Amino acid sequence: FFYQLNENSKLKDVEWLYRYERLWWEDKQQEDLLRREKIFAVGTQHEQDSIKNRTRQLEKSRQIEETFLYFNPTEK
């Protein structure tokens, strides 16, 4: 029970972080963000995996894959 409660709290924190961050996008960038949200909500598994793979590639190319200070990615 306490483990699930803790996991729920973490998810709520991520939700608020995401909601805050999405406020900063406008116009074309916001359209792109909403398109990506839609893919994760109702897209195919292939579409979702494609975004995940691209995310990993960009993190690595920008050398930020080791900067996770406040959370650990689920695949680590």
Side-chain angles (χ1 to χ4, degrees), residues 8 11 13 16 45 53-54 71:
N8 253 0
L11 287 174
D13 290 345
W16 280 106
Q45 188 67 49
N53 289 335
R54 184 69 177 135
F71 73 96

Side-chain angles (χ1 to χ4, degrees), residues 14-68:
V14 171
E15 174 193 344
W16 280 106
L17 174 61
Y18 181 74
R19 288 172 64 181
Y20 177 77
E21 288 297 320
R22 71 194 299 265
L23 294 172
W24 300 102
W25 301 99
E26 295 180 5
D27 305 321
K28 175 76 169 103
Q29 292 174 330
Q30 188 176 48
E31 291 174 22
D32 290 342
L33 175 66
L34 294 175
R35 182 181 50 79
R36 289 187 299 270
E37 285 180 357
K38 182 178 179 183
I39 289 171
F40 270 101
V42 296
T44 66
Q45 188 67 49
H46 176 73
E47 290 171 319
Q48 294 171 4
D49 288 345
S50 177
I51 289 178
K52 291 175 185 178
N53 289 335
R54 184 69 177 135
T55 299
R56 288 185 201 102
Q57 290 170 356
L58 289 171
E59 287 173 344
K60 188 170 183 71
S61 71
R62 295 176 186 174
Q63 299 177 334
I64 61 172
E65 79 274 20
E66 298 299 325
T67 63
F68 300 112

